Amino acid sequence: MNHIGLESIGLDGDRCHTRLKLQGALVNSRGDIHGGALMGALDFTLSVVARAHDPLNVGAATIDMSTHFYEPAASDVDVFAVCTRRGKRIAFCEGEVKDAQGNVLAVARAVFKLVPRAPRAVSA
């Protein structure tokens, strides 16, 4: 997400907030943020809340994600996500992309497989 400039704003329990700024590398032919960039930002933000209960030891692999676009993203956007249900191996999450005026530009629902992270090697 560093590549597209997705910025972490906050993580509070099962809620996450990120921000994606309008920049030339991310726009479509109309000058709006490309849908693929918005989907990437949604996927990442939703995956954060999927594993928010144990972020150092659990990773998340997207099983399914559906996205609906309502309006073009013609400015910086905020992405909000919530985990609606988490089991031992599966998490269900929902998210919204909003502009600065609070208009909902896109929504997504995703299902993630929760996977243990490999132990990190300690270098001497």
Side-chain angles (χ1 to χ4, degrees):
M1 292 295 94
N2 290 335
H3 180 71
I4 66 169
L6 188 65
E7 190 181 328
S8 176
I9 302 299
L11 176 62
D12 182 21
D14 286 334
R15 297 186 178 277
C16 184
H17 177 193
T18 60
R19 181 167 294 135
L20 186 62
K21 295 189 179 210
L22 179 70
Q23 52 184 306
L26 301 180
V27 300
N28 58 26
S29 61
R30 294 178 311 279
D32 303 318
I33 299 176
H34 190 280
L38 293 173
M39 289 177 72
L42 279 160
D43 184 49
F44 177 83
T45 307
L46 273 67
S47 74
V48 169
V49 294
R51 61 188 187 84
H53 64 294
D54 193 4
L56 297 178
N57 297 308
V58 176
T62 308
I63 295 173
D64 183 56
M65 182 172 149
S66 63
T67 307
H68 300 276
F69 299 96
Y70 300 145
E71 299 286 338
S75 63
D76 297 352
V77 295
D78 289 297
V79 183
F80 300 93
V82 62
C83 185
T84 57
R85 176 170 280 192
R86 183 184 303 110
K88 193 171 190 179
R89 294 192 176 115
I90 301 290
F92 297 85
C93 303
E94 298 178 357
E96 295 181 324
V97 175
K98 294 183 177 184
D99 64 13
Q101 291 73 42
N103 299 310
V104 177
L105 308 178
V107 296
R109 285 186 170 181
V111 180
F112 297 93
K113 180 179 180 181
L114 302 176
V115 293
R117 289 183 181 257
R120 295 182 187 206
V122 178
S123 56

